[in-house]
Amino acid sequence: MSDLLYSEEEEALRAAVRDLLTDHCDAAGVIARTESDVPHDLSLWKALADGMGLAGLLVPEDRGGQGATHREAAVVLEELGRAVAPVPYLTSAVVATEALLACRDGADLLAELASGRGIGALAVGLHTAPGATFATVRTAGGALHGELSGIADAAVADVLLVPADDGGLYAVRADAVTVVPQVSLDLTRPVARVALDGAPGRRLGDAETAVRRALRAGAGLLASEQLGLADWSLTETVRHLKDRTQFNRPVGGFQALKHRLAQLWLEVAGLRAAARNAADALATGEDADVAVTVAQAYAAPVAVRAAEEALQLHGGIGMTWEHPVHLHLKRAKADSIAYGTAGAHREALAQLVDLTAP
């Protein structure tokens, strides 16, 4: 039986990350960034990756990383989700890093990503589920040709990991490709189209194995980000309803609202168990496929509902651009189709446990 409780070390890590985000990632700053040409906060990323060494959590120490596990990375993602931090942690420190860990070659790139010196992005659409087919580019004469869309955080990547039609995964430097921004609901994790016109690539290993491993870790740890989003939504709504008064009493005292909050609390508690279980299973390798699909089948509806409830129960102020609830709702909606929809994960789960549809 896995231990789903947080260890002392994990709680200390949470406190350190939350302190940093409190000081350097306030909601007004994030909203201002979404209105600019540079939505990513690279100084915050440097503090997380370089200053705290968090980019290398999943990389063994002998390969230039911290030698931690998915459990610690999950705690970091919970806090980044709470703050809707515009940093490429999930895409570089989890997904691209996991892809490199599955490759025979690329030790130098792994060390580069682990140290925070470079940012990596797996050139597979953000919507792709772990077992789904994915688009590839053509190889011809040692160069890569083609276009891939929906690539998260491609705008800040130094290196792209590109799957090709010969079955290989290739490392391509960002200055060898054209990155065209696409319209994204979630402005804090922008997606882009990546065009390769004879770009030189270095073959790292087998694309199928690397992509499957990377997307499974991405889907499993995304649940922890969704937990952070949902937990913030619940906590801030409870706080608001305690402070807000109507007819000379706190709004939170009305029974109908108490029931809505109690229901939400139960759902968030369930999401915490599912997300922790997925992180633990990825760390130990036990039943990871099942744990990840269970977490993702449950996470999206809860995170979206929590953010919707926060928006409604904050009343008029919740509808304003200045209040951060819209950041959480947009991230929750975008996350609900990232690395596979809840429906896709339910179908995958049915196959994994041999429960075929009637």
Side-chain angles (χ1 to χ4, degrees):
M1 179 64 189
S2 60
D3 181 6
L4 302 188
L5 299 176
Y6 299 97
S7 67
E8 279 185 33
E9 291 82 2
E10 287 163 357
E11 290 293 10
L13 174 61
R14 177 195 306 288
V17 175
R18 190 174 294 192
D19 284 349
L20 179 70
L21 293 172
T22 301
D23 292 342
H24 298 285
C25 190
D26 64 303
V30 176
I31 292 168
R33 281 190 174 281
T34 65
E35 298 173 320
S36 73
D37 294 334
V38 281
H40 292 95
D41 188 343
L42 293 181
S43 62
L44 174 62
W45 171 248
K46 188 170 170 55
L48 288 162
D50 192 16
M52 296 180 73
L54 300 182
L57 287 182
L58 299 180
V59 180
E61 288 183 55
D62 61 2
R63 300 179 74 178
Q66 303 297 324
T69 73
H70 299 80
R71 289 177 61 109
E72 288 82 8
V75 168
V76 174
L77 278 163
E78 279 182 44
E79 292 306 310
L80 295 177
R82 286 182 70 89
V84 200
V87 292
Y89 189 85
L90 183 66
T91 44
S92 183
V94 176
V95 177
T97 295
E98 286 275 353
L100 286 171
L101 285 167
C103 292
R104 292 182 304 277
D105 193 8
D108 56 325
L109 289 176
L110 195 58
E112 186 183 322
L113 263 56
S115 68
R117 289 195 312 274
I119 295 170
L122 180 67
V124 172
L126 182 61
H127 60 280
T128 313
T133 55
F134 49 88
T136 58
V137 296
R138 284 184 303 107
T139 49
L144 303 172
H145 303 262
E147 201 170 84
L148 299 161
S149 61
I151 311 304
D153 294 334
V156 285
D158 299 296
V159 63
L160 292 150
L161 307 178
V162 182
D165 59 1
D166 65 353
L169 186 71
Y170 288 80
V172 180
R173 285 287 161 187
D175 55 12
V177 304
T178 306
V179 176
V180 182
Q182 291 177 281
V183 176
S184 174
L185 174 66
D186 174 17
L187 299 172
T188 60
R189 181 177 284 144
V191 293
R193 202 165 64 245
V194 175
L196 300 93
D197 185 14
R202 170 180 147 210
R203 189 178 173 122
L204 302 170
D206 176 50
E208 184 70 33
T209 310
V211 170
R212 192 172 289 261
R213 172 173 173 168
L215 295 183
R216 184 178 76 167
L221 293 186
L222 178 68
S224 289
E225 176 178 294
Q226 289 164 308
L227 168 60
L229 289 165
D231 194 55
W232 179 92
S233 298
L234 175 63
T235 305
E236 287 303 308
T237 304
V238 169
R239 178 182 301 159
H240 177 74
L241 294 183
K242 279 181 177 176
D243 293 343
R244 177 95 198 276
T245 58
Q246 205 170 36
F247 310 119
N248 273 343
R249 57 183 285 196
V251 175
F254 293 107
Q255 195 160 14
L257 298 189
K258 282 183 178 177
H259 285 180
R260 283 169 73 167
L261 292 170
Q263 180 60 37
L264 202 54
W265 185 89
L266 285 171
E267 290 178 19
V268 173
L271 173 51
R272 179 170 285 106
R276 292 298 294 162
N277 185 49
D280 190 73
L282 285 167
T284 60
E286 291 177 31
D287 281 338
D289 287 339
V290 170
V292 167
T293 50
V294 166
Q296 272 308 311
Y298 189 72
V302 173
V304 171
R305 216 178 77 75
E308 287 174 344
E309 286 286 81
L311 184 76
Q312 287 203 346
L313 296 177
H314 271 81
I317 193 174
M319 308 288 175
T320 64
W321 185 252
E322 290 75 21
H323 196 281
V325 71
H326 68 90
L327 293 174
H328 292 78
L329 179 56
K330 288 169 186 168
R331 174 65 71 88
K333 288 293 280 185
D335 282 357
S336 71
I337 56 170
Y339 306 118
T341 61
H345 283 282
R346 280 195 289 273
E347 284 180 27
L349 180 61
Q351 290 183 324
L352 285 169
V353 299
D354 233 8
L355 192 68
T356 49

